[in-house]
Amino acid sequence: KIVRPGQLWAMSLSAMVRLTALACATNPASALAPGGRSLVGGAFRVASAPAASASTAAASAAASAAAGYDNGRFAGRYALGKNLPPVKAKNGFRFARTDGEVRVLGGACSEVLSGPNLAELLRPGFELEVRAMEALRRGEPAESLSVHTSTGVPLQLEQFLAALGPHLPSKSGDWCVNLQAEGASAVHAAIDMALQMSGADLGSPSARTRVACGSSSYHGPASTSPGGGTPLGAQAKGLTHPVRYPVPSPFLRWRGEDEAAFHARMLADFNAYLDEYGHEVGVLLVEPQWGSSVAAMPWPPALLRDYISAAKARGIAVIADEIMCGLGRHGAEPAAGGTGCFLSECWDLQPDILTFGKGIGGGAGHLLSGAVVLEGASKLQGGPAGTAYQSHTYAGSSARALANGAALLASLEKWRPSVRAIEAAVAPIAAELNEASGGAVLAHGQGALWGGLFAHPDPQARTAANLEFKRLCAEARVLPYFVPVGGFMLTPRYDDDPDVYGAAVRDMADCALQAARSMGWAPSALLPVSKPAPRES
């Protein structure tokens, strides 16, 4: 139910896993799908698990040589020597890399539009930069492209604020926004403002300054951000509470437990968590639709409302982290009078603060993110700082990023039909994958945010499946967003062609199915887990 310091959230299930007798089937095709069916082109075909390629090492060496740069010198997203090849050009979700074309199905919600639609969104900022460059070339005063936060703000800030306001589920209109450059900083700023708005003496030994995160959660790089693992130790997490609260992820459900019973148990366990730790907690972080920690699975809306109400009843501020699902990606129906920009509005969650991420820049790398105080900005104004302490030299100071964000917000509502068309294309493929895998893959999602998990309770088993899945995807030239928990996420652009994107998703689904079959998991070994035996008194 909880995760202690120094444990990866997935490993918190290890005790439960040991209580379950896990058997492996010797015939993966018969165990996981009658007839050994696999997804291809909208139909099924008979397939057997592929043998491990003997040329894997050679292919890896060739890929490194094709990178075109000394990737052993670059300590980037991946380990030294294992970074991906350069991207030369992009056409929607088709990326031309130095090792050939790849169909990029993921990308963690960083891109929203492409082609002519992206060009139109970028046009005001581009024209600004052209004017500035010409003025600089002539040695004349040039329009500002960025401003150090200690010297002023860009002119485009007013335009951005005017575009943001109509999308906010603020009942009082007493809102404010703190701007950052990426999601993790936006979350830190949200926590910062929530604690200040409490009005408490934050320096007191009894101050409720801890941040509660779900047992499955991600709010930024695991090294120092709330949620995720603790690779540098629990102390590096700062205010994050060392014990995680229970969430309704597939990893905590018991075999034979219906949905209503599962949700009731999770809510009871959450209230027990608040009973024990609520006196320490000042902030609760929630993700209305999970990102990588549960591979884009949406929360049950009614249950999430119950969690939020329980926390707020105890004086705990609630932050809805919508960096993944916000800006209309969720595709849900807007509330009456709303725009559907944020899932918090559509589901009437009523958090105190919400966050948005880099997707607001449209997808061209002009970085912008933010944390919005929905009610009580006047409280923050009267606090010790009157703003978030979390800031830096160029936080929300890019003129082009602000112009891009304003343009996206102004056009956001017109993209809802496109998001729903993508959902209509992906949803049946996810359903077919679930059925064909016999429960070995759990695919789910909504709108333009989908994902899937390898449904084995043992993290090492999921890791093995993920490695095989990556190999198969590389051969098929498809690249979803691989999630560390074992599985994938799909984050299409809102204007991707649903049929063309759907065809690529089918190729990826076949890879996931083949990877699951190759593991030889018996149906009895899959999630949900068996109910733990009662402890002896």
Side-chain angles (χ1 to χ4, degrees), residues 71 73-80 83:
N71 61 16
R73 299 288 186 185
F74 178 47
R77 185 179 189 94
Y78 301 98
L80 288 166
N83 288 288

Side-chain angles (χ1 to χ4, degrees), residues 48-147:
S48 58
S53 172
S55 61
T56 300
S60 177
S64 180
Y69 67 101
D70 188 353
N71 61 16
R73 299 288 186 185
F74 178 47
R77 185 179 189 94
Y78 301 98
L80 288 166
K82 295 185 178 181
N83 288 288
L84 296 177
V87 174
K88 299 184 293 183
K90 297 191 290 186
N91 182 13
F93 68 90
R94 295 181 180 275
F95 285 24
R97 302 194 314 198
T98 53
D99 64 340
E101 183 180 280
V102 63
R103 294 167 291 171
V104 178
L105 307 180
C109 302
S110 60
E111 298 188 15
V112 174
L113 300 174
S114 63
N117 296 314
L118 180 58
E120 181 61 23
L121 183 144
L122 298 177
R123 182 179 54 78
F126 173 73
E127 292 174 351
L128 164 68
E129 191 156 334
V130 169
R131 294 193 302 270
M133 289 293 289
E134 282 300 306
L136 289 170
R137 185 182 61 80
R138 294 192 300 265
E140 299 173 356
E143 294 176 72
S144 176
L145 298 177
S146 63
V147 185

